[in-house]
Amino acid sequence: MTLYFEPFDLRLNHAFGISGHTRTSTPLVLTRIEHEGYTGFGEASMPPYLGENHDSAQRFLAKVDLSEFRAPAVREDIQPVMQYVDGLAPGNTAAKAAIDIALHDLLGKLTGEPCYRLFGVNPDIMPPTSFTIGIDTPEMIRKKVKEAAPFRVIKVKLGSDHDREIIEAIRAETAVPLSVDANQGWKDRDQAMEMSHWLSERKVLFIEQPMPKEDVEGNAWLRAGSPLPVIADEACQRLQDVERAAGVYDGINIKLMKCTGLDEASRMIARARQLNLKILIGCMTETSCAVMAAAALAPLCDWADLDGPWLVANDPWQTPHLEEGRIRLEEGRPGLGLIPRQKT
Ligand code: MG
């Protein structure tokens, strides 16, 4: 197997605000792994606050030599490759995911199976995907709620000084269920508890990362009294973090870019179920490639937040099909089922 990679700038439809940051594009590195005429595609998406970038990912990927590994024939063949990749250097989780995703796409193509079937997933129980609205002015928020019409859940970024105004601006336009992501923006536990009660009366499904991840005690205290489930995102990156989330959070947000890809994500799902944790599967701003990889596991999760392709302007792949707000897993296409977008 031979690995190729190239940098790519993914442009966002709107400047995207979360608690503490705003940006207009996201650096990606696109990967492909080739074997005997078959090609698996992958991607690293690297929002700047996570510490990876074009240079770091390319430096990491240049170290990866897949020539000694045989091409995967079953899913278990990917594990030793990913163990080798993970052992090359700490961190670099998005660059690692770019290899894992390409390996799964390749395996699907080599076996003629769609990726979701490699995980034994039932595509008919796909949770609806939320559409994310960043921190913005009430006027822009109203505009974005209109863009969110094909989606059945809206995810709202909070953690600013006008959280209630944002929720009220959305609630004036739509009655769809909301999920809330504070991105560690609530610094005070009493304020967080008050917000949870206030939000629970406004058809909110859960709260993601309400307080700083370092405040384990505060998050556990909130969880114990919160009427809404409290979900770990920044506090849960990889498999070993799942254990730590139990007792502090009601659930975890799994993202391929945090956990090095589908191989580890599938093990996080299994462990989270043993620990009775709820599971959200999320994404960064990323193309249909990484999102279809995550979608292959989404039927194993309680909620999905896989709106990347709908937030970006230059996805090299055709946008996935939505049915009643759910991403459709395509039965007839092997691997991730990606179709290149025609250049216009
Ligand atoms: Mg989050």
Side-chain angles (χ1 to χ4, degrees), residues 49 155 157 180-183 208-209 231-234 253 255 258 280 283 305:
Y49 58 91
K155 172 163 161 174
K157 294 288 193 178
V180 159
D181 189 354
N183 286 107
E208 208 180 306
Q209 204 63 59
I231 308 299
D233 182 6
E234 286 84 343
N253 184 352
K255 293 176 185 162
K258 293 191 297 185
L280 166 66
C283 65
D305 177 33

Side-chain angles (χ1 to χ4, degrees), residues 74-89:
V74 290
R75 198 153 65 75
E76 289 67 30
D77 293 340
I78 291 177
Q79 275 173 22
V81 188
M82 289 311 297
Q83 273 163 14
Y84 152 75
V85 168
D86 200 23
L88 286 172

Side-chain angles (χ1 to χ4, degrees), residues 168-233:
E168 275 159 0
I170 294 169
R171 273 287 166 256
E173 301 290 323
T174 179
V176 299
L178 306 179
S179 59
V180 159
D181 189 354
N183 286 107
Q184 318 184 77
W186 297 340
K187 307 296 182 203
D188 176 281
R189 58 165 77 174
D190 293 314
Q191 173 211 0
M193 186 68 85
E194 204 184 306
M195 275 306 286
S196 176
H197 283 272
W198 187 83
L199 291 168
S200 72
E201 291 158 13
R202 283 159 183 82
K203 212 171 154 188
V204 170
L205 300 170
F206 58 83
I207 307 169
E208 208 180 306
Q209 204 63 59
M211 292 190 287
K213 63 177 179 179
E214 295 78 16
D215 188 2
V216 175
E217 210 189 302
N219 281 298
W221 175 86
L222 178 65
R223 175 202 170 240
S226 167
L228 293 174
V230 179
I231 308 299
D233 182 6

